[in-house]
Structure formats: C-alpha cells, structure tokens
Amino acid sequence: MRLIKDILKGILIGIANIIPGVSGGTMAVSMGIYDQIIGSVTNLFKQFKKSMLTLLPYAIGMVIAIVGVSRIIEPMFEKYPLQTGSLFVGLILGGLPIILKKVKGKGTDGIGLILFFFFFALIIGLQIIGQKDSNNIEIQLSVAEVMKLFFIGVLASATMVIPGVSGSMILLTIGYYNPILQTINRCTSALSPFNRTELLNSIGILLPFGLGIVIGIFAIAKLIEFLLSRFEVKTFYAILGLITASPIAIYMSVGVTTINVTSVAVSIVTFGVGFIISFFLGGDESKAECILEG
C-alpha cells in the first residue's frame, strides 16, 4: 500500500512538472515529502540504499506521468482549463496544513515576512512574464545546441525543485517547452516501430537536457538542505510565499475564455477531489522520518 501511494505521489509531481504554471516542488511540499526527497538526493552517495528505496517509487511515478499521463493532462488543460486548474489548486492547498505545522509556534520576524511577500510577488511576476508569447525554438543538433540544452536542463531542474516555481513555465518563457515535450513524445512513439533515426535524434536532444536536470537537482537540493538546516523557519516562510501564490499563478495560466454555472460547479468538485487526494497522500507523512542527517 505504501509503495502504491508513493508511486501515486510521484505521478502527481511528474504531472505538476509538465504543466506550465504548476510546480512539482509545491506538490511535493503539499504532500509532506519535500524535505524527505531533498534529504535523499543530498545523501544519495552517503546512504545509497536508503536513499534509493525512498526515491525509486517517486521516480517511477514521475516517469509514468511524463511518458503517459502527459498525453492526457495536456488535452484536459486545453479543453477544460478551469476544471483541471482547480484540481491542481486543490492538490496544492490540500497539503497546506502540513506546511503550516512547520512554522507553527516557532514565531517569525520581519525578515520572514519580507521573504514571504517577496517570493509571493516573484511567482506572480514570473507568471505575468510567462504569459507573453514566446516563439518555439527549432532544435538543430550541434555542439553549441547540446551545451545550451545542458544549461537549460540545469535551469529547468532548479526551478522544478524550488516550491512554487514552475520549471515548465520557465521553459515556455524561453521557447523550449513545446520542442522538449514534442521530442519526448517523438521518442516514445519511435520505440514501437523502432525508428532508429528518429530515436537517435530524440536521444541526442534529450540526453544533454536530462544530464543538466540531474546536475541541477543535486545542486539546488544541496542549497535547499543548507537553508533548511540553518534558517528553517525563514526558509519555510519563503516556501509559503511561493506556495500561496501558486493557485493565483495557475488560474492566470489556464486561459479561461468562458465561465458558466456548469464549469464553476465542476471546478468546485475537482478542487474538492484534489484537496482530498493531497490531504490523504500527505496525511501520513507528518510521522515520517526525514533523511536530513547532513
């Protein structure tokens, strides 16, 4: 049962990382597994077996989401933006009580409040920038393009890990979101008839991008672990600012053109479903042992 729940959590994180405006880091925090994942990543080589047992179910879920579920979620956002966006808002807010426990009774100061409002405004600002039309880049394999893909992977992974910041939105802003998503779909489609040319071309694009993601995750995880160990309360106030701005950013990004009674009613239902799922998946993690042993 625990394994299935962890895979489901990984699927939700993977979906969140795919959808522009939705943060995989926020989803992890909302489900109470953020510090557990960060600790496992930073201690991967020190406690390899323990860390792998923690990360593997989440990784399996994320792969399932990226390869399969993304084909479903993308059309849902196109056809039912308000209802689908409300589902993710429910998923995020359903885990908010777990996050509030991190700072409850620990007090704060002016710096904590400044960090909260600064990062709240940052997410809204990024969303406004991301709404500007960005031309999709046509990726042509070359040494320069491979290096660029690597650094874009580093940037995307860093923003995916930070709660509230959408890595997909960053990719969309710089014009690489659709090309990368299309390359993933082409790669999976080429596996069935084993189209070697298409497969090699897709791998040539995805490999440097993927390596950048791995490097970026390790780098930002180390930074987050340091901040949580030295400035825990202030860091969580910053995270709260990122998370509370996320629902606003999601509704800004869904591009709703028409609103009627039916769509609002269904959105309330999907919000409730998301809230319950997040609350259920994150409910048992308050007792979970974190791996932040430095």
Side-chain angles (χ1 to χ4, degrees):
M1 182 64 180
R2 175 63 181 271
L3 177 63
I4 295 173
K5 285 180 69 175
D6 287 345
I7 291 175
L8 288 173
K9 292 174 185 179
I11 289 174
L12 290 176
I13 294 170
I15 294 173
N17 277 327
I18 293 169
I19 305 302
V22 187
S23 167
T26 299
M27 203 61 65
V29 173
S30 296
M31 291 184 293
I33 57 175
Y34 183 73
D35 49 357
Q36 187 183 41
I37 291 176
I38 292 296
S40 296
V41 171
T42 56
N43 290 290
L44 182 61
F45 298 108
K46 292 180 182 178
Q47 302 175 0
F48 183 78
K49 183 178 179 180
K50 189 176 182 181
S51 297
M52 283 300 296
L53 288 174
T54 300
L55 294 173
L56 191 58
Y58 303 134
I60 291 171
M62 291 177 69
V63 170
I64 292 172
I66 292 170
V67 174
V69 183
S70 62
R71 294 178 181 267
I72 302 171
I73 293 295
E74 285 293 324
M76 283 177 63
F77 260 97
E78 290 178 6
K79 295 181 179 180
Y80 311 105
L82 183 61
Q83 297 91 327
T84 308
S86 295
L87 173 66
F88 277 90
V89 170
L91 287 168
I92 291 170
L93 296 184
L96 200 56
I98 294 174
I99 308 164
L100 292 173
K101 287 180 181 179
K102 301 285 187 179
V103 296
K104 185 179 180 180
K106 295 184 179 180
T108 186
D109 52 21
I111 295 177
L113 293 175
I114 289 171
L115 288 171
F116 174 88
F117 287 111
F118 173 79
F119 284 101
F120 182 96
L122 176 65
I123 294 305
I124 303 301
L126 285 173
Q127 184 61 46
I128 292 171
I129 294 172
Q131 285 185 329
K132 296 178 180 179
D133 292 333
S134 59
N135 296 322
N136 292 325
I137 306 297
E138 185 177 348
I139 301 176
Q140 301 289 341
L141 279 179
S142 64
V143 175
E145 190 66 42
V146 166
M147 293 178 63
K148 185 185 291 186
L149 285 166
F150 174 80
F151 286 111
I152 289 172
V154 173
L155 175 65
S157 68
T159 53
M160 287 174 186
V161 172
I162 299 172
V165 183
S166 170
S168 295
M169 181 57 67
I170 299 299
L171 288 177
L172 188 65
T173 302
I174 61 178
Y176 273 83
Y177 177 74
N178 284 327
I180 292 295
L181 196 62
Q182 290 165 4
T183 303
I184 292 172
N185 290 334
R186 284 201 306 269
C187 185
T188 55
S189 298
L191 288 172
S192 180
F194 197 71
N195 187 332
R196 185 180 300 178
T197 303
E198 186 64 59
L199 201 58
L200 289 175
N201 185 67
S202 299
I203 291 173
I205 293 171
L206 295 176
L207 185 60
F209 180 74
L211 288 173
I213 286 178
V214 172
I215 298 297
I217 287 174
F218 273 96
I220 197 66
K222 283 288 185 183
L223 174 61
I224 295 279
E225 185 184 49
F226 170 79
L227 292 173
L228 286 172
S229 64
R230 299 291 181 90
F231 313 101
E232 182 184 16
V233 176
K234 290 182 176 64
T235 302
F236 272 111
Y237 268 99
I239 289 174
L240 277 171
L242 293 167
I243 290 174
T244 51
S246 293
I248 300 173
I250 289 172
Y251 283 126
M252 289 172 64
S253 68
V254 295
V256 179
T257 54
T258 57
I259 298 177
N260 52 51
V261 175
T262 303
S263 64
V264 171
V266 174
S267 298
I268 293 172
V269 173
T270 56
F271 172 86
V273 170
F275 189 95
I276 292 169
I277 290 173
S278 181
F279 192 82
F280 171 74
L281 290 177
D284 63 344
E285 294 299 333
S286 59
K287 300 177 183 178
E289 180 185 19
C290 296
I291 314 177
L292 295 173
E293 296 177 2

